[in-house]
Amino acid sequence: MEHYSVTGMSCAACSAHVEKAVSAVSGVESVSVSLLTNSMAVEGSADSDAVIAAVQKAGYGASLKGAEDKNKTASSKEAADGLEDRETPVLRRRLIASVVFLIPLMYVSMGHVMWGWPVPDFIAKSHLVIGLIELLFTVIVMVINKKFFVNGFTALIRRSPNMDTLVALGAGAAFGYSTYALFAMAYAADMGNFAAEHMYMHEFYFESAAMILALITVGKMLEARSKGKTTDALKSLMRLAPKLATVVRDGAEVSVPVEEVKKGDIFVVRPGESIPVDGVVLEGFGAVDESALTGESIPVDKQEGASVSAATINRSGFLKCEATRVGEDTTLSQIIQMVSDAAATKAPIAKAADKVSGIFVPVVIGIAAVTVAVWLIAGGGIGTALGRGIAVLVISCPCALGLATPVAIMVGSGVGAKGGILFKTAAALEAAGRTQIVALDKTGTITKGEPRVTDIITADEITESELLRLAYALEVKSEHPLAGAVVGYCEDNSVELSESETFKAESGSGVSAVIDGVSSQGGNYAFISGFAEIEPELRTKAESLAEDGKTPLYFAKDGKLYGIIAVSDVIKEDSPDAIKRMKAMGLRVVMLTGDNEKTANAIGAQSGVDEVIAGVLPDGKEEVVRGLLAKGKVAMVGDGINDAPALTRADVGIAIGAGADVALDAADVVLMKSSLSDVPAAIHLGRKVLRNIHENLFWAFIYNIIGIPVAAGVFYPLFGWKLNPMFGAAAMSLSSFCVVTNALRLNFVRLHGRNISQNNESEKEDSMKKTITVTGMMCEHCEMRVKKALEELPQVASASPDHKNNSVEVVLESEIDDDALRAAIENEGYKAGEIR
């Protein structure tokens, strides 16, 4: 996809004409034009020169973005300048100049003529002088705002009329008829027809022409200012990148501009300094604040071998790092690019507005012409008929239609990026807001993805050492997370490693190899039962382990079962609460796992999901998602590694825990943190954006549906309603401003808060919390036992144990006696102390 800057667009009709022109270019597969950012995204094999030529032929300007330098950081002057609000200062100067000449014009035309305000005698005694003064001031205001006429009539000549065309026709018609009335008045005065002279004096619309231009300029300025604010989040990200880096060259530390840092350079970061580029720690230890990228406020410890990202801050310690990604390749630059790309794309919901925008201006011009004709036929007079036609032209607003969706998408994407939630496209943001079912991959999503060995059960006549040697030799070549747990345990316990040959991994089932010249296998029950007989007693023990949420791995050699090693993956601390929030939002939560049914159901019960689908192999997740799609809109959440087909198949694919790898191809939404709580936050934000778009589109459509008939005088026979063209221009100037201002409200959306899960009032919530001192917890498995015991009590909503602080925080749904809480803990073999 190539991105272009487009100049000269003033409304939705302009963007529609650009899209139509570029779509006709050979090799263009799709094109999306953003009125908000004045940019265009083009997919296909079309030559960039042909695309630019097509835009220029349509009457606009275009240039290819970023073609000259690929080694610029997101904080570079070019990137910042791209979002700088250049429109508002220009429009402000135009407005001030217009008002300077509009005030005397209004004083003469309205103040003196209508209300008798004093003017010099030479003006008061001559209608012709009054008319000439009005003509002079109006011409000056028109020259100041000549852009409306140049753009408007150029677009009309090219058969692609836009908002400027409407303004130019409206103001031009008012000025043209007023000029005719002035000459007619002069002729009447010369002929001594004072009645005609007086009549023509009241046919002047000079002040309407000037006021229309001034009011539209007010609206454009307010719109430009508000549009500038929609990119505040993006600009704040750009400002995060440091301008200087301290690199080591020839053994000495040198401060250089960050643009000069190259891949492989060694740089140092002291306490309080920002990390200039992405890198890996070579020496030192530090606590790095990554909140700028992930939204996580707690600093992360970094030591040798750890990755660091540009724009994060070293809060303490000294770090010596090697640059691994610089310029456009840094995590920060990719985030900025992703937010920009999302704003350049279009959401499906915008299609209706785009279709209307494409024909809006010609239809309005037609309605204005019919309005004038009808009023003339009805005997309303040329002045009245023209006034109604001008009102139709200047009240119609295609801009509100064009801005309704992109402003909400831009603000929403920026808010998400600041919280570590990245939407790749506008369609992804919309799809997130429509989600009904959330499918969660278990490993690495609900759980930490760091399984550990919990139990070792040997078969008769087999020692633990023999079982571990067999398991070590089989699993050492496997890449499965459970295999990593077994290998880690064996390494920690200095188990001897035997050589293995003809290693083979069976996806989702097990592994096989030849060890000591003998065929050996390791894996789940279904896999191993085909090679060795499993005694009922061991089978029963394995089922008991599975009921506790552990995964039993069977190992056999030469047709004989050697034993079982149980592995357990710990549920993330925030997973149960995140799932509870999703359910409170009306979402159906489904867990997918390759574990056996009993293990899966145990973890599902602990996490609180609605449905568990067990025994799903990696290549079977896509089929499961396909089935869920028949029941509603599906969001698939995974780690983006072995979930790619499922992520792609879902309505919206969400990759969790991306960290520095924000460009995961399969995902539509990328979560920087490995926190499940960001999933309901992303869906909540999507819903807010979708609602905002609906509000904007409703306003844009209803404004035009009501405003145009009122301006045309449709209701005049019934209610006597008649709209002055100046008020029509005022309404038009405020319509786009209202849409953009409404979108800016999204900046106040709380991604994580009580408004997502609709919790009780804070006072009530605090009164339903208890903290219990618990001694005897030694690890995360102890925490899980205490958590499970407490949450089995019907009065307990959730329990959060912490073995490091020897405490557990309990949230209650109803009152419960302290002794019942103590008993639940002590039944698991731990000692409960003070409860507060």
Side-chain angles (χ1 to χ4, degrees):
M1 180 183 289
E2 290 188 323
H3 295 268
Y4 299 79
S5 295
V6 181
T7 58
M9 295 190 298
S10 61
C11 69
C14 296
S15 59
H17 293 141
V18 172
E19 279 193 13
K20 185 177 179 181
V22 175
S23 296
V25 176
S26 177
V28 172
E29 295 175 5
S30 68
V31 57
S32 176
V33 180
S34 172
L35 176 64
L36 175 65
T37 57
N38 291 316
S39 61
M40 174 176 65
V42 179
E43 282 190 358
S45 58
D47 182 66
S48 59
D49 291 336
V51 171
I52 292 171
V55 175
Q56 291 173 342
K57 188 176 180 181
Y60 307 92
S63 60
L64 191 61
K65 283 186 178 180
E68 59 282 341
D69 191 18
K70 288 287 183 181
N71 194 40
K72 289 188 178 179
T73 66
S75 60
S76 67
K77 188 174 185 299
E78 180 188 345
D81 286 350
L83 292 176
E84 186 181 343
D85 180 12
R86 296 188 182 90
E87 265 191 292
T88 302
V90 173
L91 289 167
R92 186 185 294 116
R93 289 193 294 271
R94 266 172 52 186
L95 178 62
I96 292 171
S98 299
V99 170
V100 166
F101 294 99
L102 182 65
I103 290 173
L105 170 61
M106 297 303 293
Y107 184 91
V108 173
S109 64
M110 305 289 285
H112 172 66
V113 175
M114 296 183 66
W115 301 312
W117 291 359
V119 294
D121 286 344
F122 78 93
I123 297 176
K125 291 179 180 179
S126 173
H127 291 163
L128 182 61
V129 173
I130 291 174
L132 288 172
I133 289 174
E134 290 185 25
L135 172 68
L136 176 63
F137 283 126
T138 303
V139 168
I140 294 172
V141 173
M142 291 174 72
V143 170
I144 292 170
N145 295 281
K146 64 182 181 296
K147 186 174 180 181
F148 288 124
F149 297 94
V150 173
N151 292 348
F153 288 120
T154 299
L156 187 62
I157 292 169
R158 293 179 181 273
R159 298 181 182 179
S160 57
N162 55 24
M163 189 209 77
D164 289 341
T165 305
L166 296 179
V167 175
L169 287 175
F175 177 78
Y177 178 72
S178 300
T179 304
Y180 159 77
L182 176 60
F183 280 96
M185 184 186 72
Y187 178 76
D190 187 53
M191 298 298 293
N193 187 345
F194 298 110
E197 178 186 354
H198 186 74
M199 179 194 73
Y200 281 119
M201 177 68 189
H202 293 281
E203 292 290 308
F204 290 165
Y205 283 95
F206 286 121
E207 76 284 350
S208 292
M211 183 62 81
I212 286 169
L213 296 172
L215 288 173
I216 299 298
T217 302
V218 169
K220 297 294 283 183
M221 187 188 75
L222 292 173
E223 177 190 323
R225 190 168 183 274
S226 298
K227 281 163 64 178
K229 288 182 177 294
T230 63
T231 58
D232 280 353
L234 198 53
K235 286 183 279 192
S236 67
L237 284 173
M238 289 182 171
R239 285 193 291 267
L240 290 172
K243 294 178 173 58
L244 297 173
T246 304
V247 299
V248 179
R249 290 181 179 169
D250 299 326
E253 294 182 8
V254 182
S255 183
V256 300
V258 72
E259 291 88 350
E260 294 182 10
V261 179
K262 298 177 181 178
K263 184 177 179 180
D265 281 354
I266 307 300
F267 62 91
V268 297
V269 187
R270 291 180 169 78
E273 294 181 349
S274 294
I275 294 171
V277 295
D278 290 6
V280 62
V281 178
L282 301 178
E283 294 178 19
F285 179 89
V288 177
D289 180 356
E290 298 182 335
S291 59
L293 301 184
T294 67
E296 180 59 63
S297 58
I298 301 173
V300 180
D301 291 338
K302 300 289 185 180
Q303 54 191 354
E304 186 177 340
S307 297
V308 292
S309 299
T312 56
I313 301 171
N314 182 23
R315 293 298 182 191
S316 64
F318 174 85
L319 296 173
K320 187 174 184 179
C321 313
E322 179 183 349
T324 55
R325 294 195 291 191
V326 299
E328 290 186 343
D329 296 328
T330 65
T331 304
L332 177 66
S333 293
Q334 290 183 49
I335 291 173
I336 292 169
Q337 187 61 49
M338 197 174 292
V339 176
S340 299
D341 289 351
T345 60
K346 287 194 175 179
I349 195 173
K351 289 180 179 177
D354 287 344
K355 288 179 180 177
V356 173
S357 299
I359 61 170
F360 185 86
V361 175
V363 169
V364 168
I365 294 173
I367 292 172
V370 170
T371 298
V372 172
V374 169
W375 276 95
L376 286 173
I377 293 169
I382 184 66
T384 300
L386 194 61
R388 301 286 69 74
I390 293 170
V392 169
L393 289 172
V394 298
I395 200 173
S396 306
C397 187
C399 285
L401 286 170
L403 291 170
T405 301
V407 289
I409 295 295
M410 173 59 90
V411 178
S413 299
V415 170
K418 289 172 72 175
I421 301 170
L422 307 177
F423 295 91
K424 288 189 175 181
T425 63
L429 192 49
E430 180 183 337
R434 297 188 187 279
T435 298
Q436 297 168 303
I437 302 169
V438 180
L440 304 173
D441 181 41
K442 186 205 77 173
T443 305
T445 303
I446 296 177
T447 63
K448 291 186 176 181
E450 301 170 358
R452 299 172 186 173
V453 173
T454 57
D455 301 87
I456 299 174
I457 302 172
T458 60
D460 292 340
E461 300 179 0
I462 300 295
T463 65
E464 184 175 306
S465 176
E466 289 174 324
L467 173 58
L468 289 174
R469 280 186 61 195
L470 174 62
Y472 191 13
L474 279 168
E475 302 287 18
V476 73
K477 293 182 180 180
S478 174
E479 296 179 356
H480 196 281
L482 298 183
V486 173
V487 171
Y489 181 86
C490 292
E491 289 176 346
D492 292 343
N493 290 274
S494 302
V495 175
E496 182 184 347
L497 177 62
S498 301
E499 289 293 327
S500 62
E501 300 173 353
T502 63
F503 173 84
K504 183 179 180 183
E506 303 290 342
S507 179
S509 301
V511 295
S512 61
V514 174
I515 301 172
D516 300 329
V518 179
S519 176
S520 306
Q521 297 81 28
N524 60 26
Y525 174 79
F527 180 69
I528 296 299
S529 59
F531 296 93
E533 183 180 347
I534 300 174
E535 298 175 6
E537 183 182 352
L538 285 177
R539 176 67 175 149
T540 301
K541 289 181 179 179
E543 289 177 353
S544 177
L545 293 170
E547 288 172 358
D548 290 336
K550 301 172 183 177
T551 303
L553 301 176
Y554 299 81
F555 293 92
K557 185 176 182 180
D558 197 19
K560 176 179 173 60
L561 184 71
Y562 268 49
I564 300 170
I565 297 178
V567 176
S568 177
D569 194 359
V570 179
I571 293 177
K572 295 176 184 175
E573 293 177 1
D574 69 331
S575 290
D577 182 60
I579 291 169
K580 189 175 294 183
R581 288 184 176 188
M582 285 187 262
K583 292 168 72 174
M585 292 166 66
L587 298 166
R588 179 167 182 78
V589 186
V590 180
M591 184 183 82
L592 310 183
T593 177
D595 288 340
N596 64 70
E597 194 168 338
K598 287 190 176 181
T599 301
N601 286 335
I603 294 174
Q606 292 171 18
S607 60
V609 298
D610 293 305
E611 181 183 353
V612 175
I613 302 178
V616 182
L617 300 180
D619 54 359
K621 292 176 185 176
E622 188 265 349
E623 187 177 343
V624 172
V625 170
R626 192 194 299 266
L628 292 173
L629 286 169
K631 302 175 183 178
K633 300 291 184 181
V634 178
M636 173 66 197
V637 186
D639 57 17
I641 300 171
N642 62 354
D643 305 309
L647 291 172
T648 304
R649 172 60 59 183
D651 292 295
V652 56
I654 303 177
I656 190 170
D661 191 14
V662 299
L664 294 169
D665 292 333
D668 304 301
V669 183
V670 178
L671 307 181
M672 297 291 289
K673 292 181 291 184
S674 186
S675 173
L676 194 60
S677 61
D678 281 345
V679 174
I683 294 171
H684 172 66
L685 178 59
R687 287 181 175 180
K688 286 289 187 181
V689 170
L690 201 56
R691 180 178 177 181
N692 194 276
I693 291 172
H694 283 139
E695 292 168 352
N696 288 344
L697 288 173
F698 173 80
W699 164 254
F701 277 111
I702 207 71
Y703 163 82
N704 286 294
I705 289 170
I706 295 175
I708 292 175
V710 170
V714 171
F715 301 108
Y716 181 74
L718 295 174
F719 308 108
W721 293 352
K722 204 159 54 168
L723 187 70
N724 187 301
M726 288 189 288
F727 292 117
M732 181 191 194
S733 69
L734 290 173
S735 60
S736 298
F737 173 69
C738 290
V739 166
V740 178
T741 302
N742 184 51
L744 289 174
R745 293 191 304 112
L746 290 169
N747 281 309
F748 301 105
V749 171
R750 294 171 60 194
L751 294 179
H752 302 279
R754 292 184 178 88
N755 59 333
I756 297 178
S757 55
Q758 302 172 348
N759 288 344
N760 295 327
E761 307 266 345
S762 59
E763 293 84 359
K764 181 179 178 182
E765 193 174 90
D766 290 340
S767 68
M768 299 297 284
K769 284 183 179 179
K770 292 189 176 184
T771 302
I772 309 169
T773 301
V774 181
T775 55
M777 293 191 298
M778 303 296 291
C779 64
E780 291 168 338
H781 299 294
C782 297
E783 290 180 356
M784 291 305 302
R785 291 180 63 182
V786 172
K787 180 181 177 70
K788 182 181 178 183
L790 288 170
E791 290 184 347
E792 284 178 351
L793 298 172
Q795 300 92 336
V796 176
S798 64
S800 303
D802 187 344
H803 73 275
K804 294 179 181 178
N805 294 324
N806 293 318
S807 66
V808 56
E809 188 175 83
V810 180
V811 177
L812 304 176
E813 291 184 349
S814 58
E815 291 295 334
I816 185 173
D817 188 68
D818 288 351
D819 290 338
L821 294 172
R822 286 192 177 95
I825 294 170
E826 291 175 354
N827 285 340
E828 293 297 319
Y830 306 97
K831 185 171 179 58
E834 179 188 4
I835 299 180
R836 58 187 186 278

